[in-house]
Amino acid sequence: MSRQIARRQNAFTLVELLVVIAIIGGLIALLLPALNAAREAARRSQCTSNLHQIALAMQQHEEVFGCLPPGLPNCVDPANFGIAGGVSEGAWCQGPAWTISIMPYMEERSTFDLIKTCMATAYNVCENCTSGTAPDPLKGLAPPPMYHCPSAERLETTANLGAMGLTLGLTNVAKANYVGNFGSENYFSYRKPSEAGVFDIVDVRSARGAPIEQMMNDPSMKGAWKMGSKLGVKFASISDGMSQTILASEILGYPSKNDVRGAWSLGGMGGMSFTTQLPPNPMSGDDLLPSCEPFSMPPPDYQFNCTIDPTPLMGTSAAAARSAHPGGVIATMVDGSTHFVEEMIDPMVWKNLGTRKGGIPAELPLE
């Protein structure tokens, strides 16, 4: 009899077991937010490092060529400069976007050499060398791993711009997460000194090796002369200050083949470029893009709102910096410093940080 009593005393009752499970569940509930916060902190740190490495690669390009890389080398008629897309859309002579030009300084020399070799037979580098006609036509050319922010959703290849169809005359342009500063207003901000960012659309029709007369579909439009490496923005022209001018920030790619945002080698707004017209992660105001999914996210998660640009040749398109980080985006300045910029930053301060010679130097708030 005494042994049976001892066994009963050593065993858990159902109530006791439920209490223990409830305590464990409560502890897990308390620990999960802290664990998720720690994970995001690590991801944000890696994203900050990626942007810093991009800035260092830009500085190495400047050491070699005396300037930053062009935002987009263009050799079409100036009337077509606003076109973002493929040859069939009128972008029949374009060089590599800045995202490609700095690859040799990001331990991506072999991939860069493949693209440069492709340029010998390419009218449009994005379409011919990194899109659906790239080494893997089903996937397009993958961007360097350093162009992905670990906080952002890693999009499947089915979300590639133009995947399984044609959008802007491009097929399978993969998506990434970093964009260069094109100024404080729109794609053509470079034409106004007070609005210009650190990347311009550069006319390379007078480049060394360029044909005297340029015509659509003429074989002379092909060639590595479209690099325009020495025609980018010089550090000396950044009179607002290298520590007070944004070099690059973040973009979120939307999981749709019809949305340009994040298309890493596309020389158009939202692909490899943004402006400071809208504040970071704007909850009101739309991106104005050549192709996108309008109002693709219902409130309150409508940070992807956009409008399709009805006049793309006018250069009026604009895209905001967007990230998956709670509360803001990461930006790197021309001097290589990196900052977490809160969504609630004064919109005018943010706009002034987007100009290289706007005459109103802006200071980032202390973090």
Side-chain angles (χ1 to χ4, degrees):
M1 178 67 69
S2 60
R3 290 180 180 177
Q4 291 177 352
I5 294 173
R7 287 195 196 101
R8 289 173 185 168
Q9 289 176 341
N10 291 334
F12 283 109
T13 67
L14 178 59
V15 173
E16 290 171 332
L17 185 59
L18 291 174
V19 169
V20 171
I21 292 173
I23 292 172
I24 293 173
L27 289 173
I28 291 174
L30 290 172
L31 289 173
L32 273 178
L35 181 61
N36 289 335
R39 287 176 174 170
E40 168 54 21
R43 291 191 291 261
R44 192 171 114 177
S45 177
Q46 181 59 55
C47 193
T48 300
S49 176
N50 289 350
L51 278 163
H52 181 61
Q53 292 303 314
I54 287 173
L56 292 180
M58 296 285 188
Q59 291 172 6
Q60 291 183 58
H61 187 283
E62 194 277 339
E63 289 178 6
V64 174
F65 296 104
C67 62
L68 293 168
L72 179 70
N74 212 323
C75 38
V76 297
D77 185 283
N80 284 10
F81 262 38
I83 293 178
V87 172
S88 63
E89 298 297 306
W92 47 268
C93 187
Q94 289 185 354
W98 70 264
T99 45
I100 295 173
S101 298
I102 64 170
M103 289 175 70
Y105 316 109
M106 301 185 70
E107 299 182 358
E108 294 287 340
R109 166 63 71 174
S110 59
T111 304
F112 173 79
D113 288 343
L114 287 175
I115 295 174
K116 194 167 183 180
T117 298
C118 172
M119 285 180 64
T121 57
Y123 289 109
N124 180 312
V125 175
C126 178
E127 178 178 3
N128 300 132
C129 305
T130 68
S131 184
T133 51
D136 189 340
L138 297 178
K139 297 180 179 179
L141 187 66
M146 203 176 292
Y147 284 175
H148 288 286
C149 175
S151 294
E153 177 187 3
R154 195 71 169 260
L155 299 181
E156 300 292 334
T157 54
T158 52
N160 287 2
L161 177 63
M164 301 172 65
L166 292 175
T167 301
L168 305 179
L170 300 169
T171 58
N172 282 308
V173 182
K175 294 179 179 178
N177 299 118
Y178 300 119
V179 278
N181 169 25
F182 266 53
S184 63
E185 291 296 335
N186 53 46
Y187 196 44
F188 280 178
S189 283
Y190 74 97
R191 293 181 172 178
K192 298 181 181 180
S194 62
E195 299 176 2
V198 296
F199 294 107
D200 297 346
I201 305 173
V202 174
D203 190 341
V204 294
R205 291 179 299 165
S206 61
R208 182 178 179 182
I212 296 175
E213 184 176 353
Q214 294 169 306
M215 300 173 60
M216 184 174 178
N217 296 328
D218 190 294
S220 63
M221 296 297 93
K222 304 173 181 179
W225 56 269
K226 292 195 289 291
M227 287 293 299
S229 300
K230 296 183 178 181
L231 300 177
V233 171
K234 298 181 183 299
F235 280 173
S237 71
I238 305 176
S239 57
D240 282 355
M242 292 172 59
S243 65
Q244 297 170 306
T245 305
I246 297 171
L247 177 70
S249 188
E250 301 180 81
I251 196 80
L252 287 175
Y254 187 72
S256 167
K257 64 184 179 65
N258 299 314
D259 201 302
V260 301
R261 284 171 287 195
W264 80 282
S265 60
L266 174 68
M269 190 54 59
M272 52 81 207
S273 59
F274 83 105
T275 71
T276 57
Q277 181 187 100
L278 293 173
N281 293 336
M283 296 303 284
S284 63
D286 296 351
D287 290 340
L288 185 64
L289 300 169
S291 179
C292 67
E293 294 282 3
F295 299 97
S296 48
M297 299 287 284
D301 298 317
Y302 50 88
Q303 71 265 33
F304 282 100
N305 280 0
C306 67
T307 300
I308 295 176
D309 190 353
T311 56
L313 294 183
M314 302 301 292
T316 53
S317 58
R322 302 174 187 272
S323 84
H325 309 301
V329 300
I330 300 168
T332 185
M333 315 307 278
V334 179
D335 69 348
S337 60
T338 56
H339 305 269
F340 184 76
V341 183
E342 294 186 355
E343 297 165 357
M344 301 306 293
I345 186 173
D346 184 325
M348 287 308 301
V349 171
W350 179 247
K351 288 190 74 167
N352 290 332
L353 288 168
T355 61
R356 68 176 185 255
K357 48 184 176 182
I360 309 176
E363 293 283 353
L364 277 168
L366 295 176
E367 296 180 40

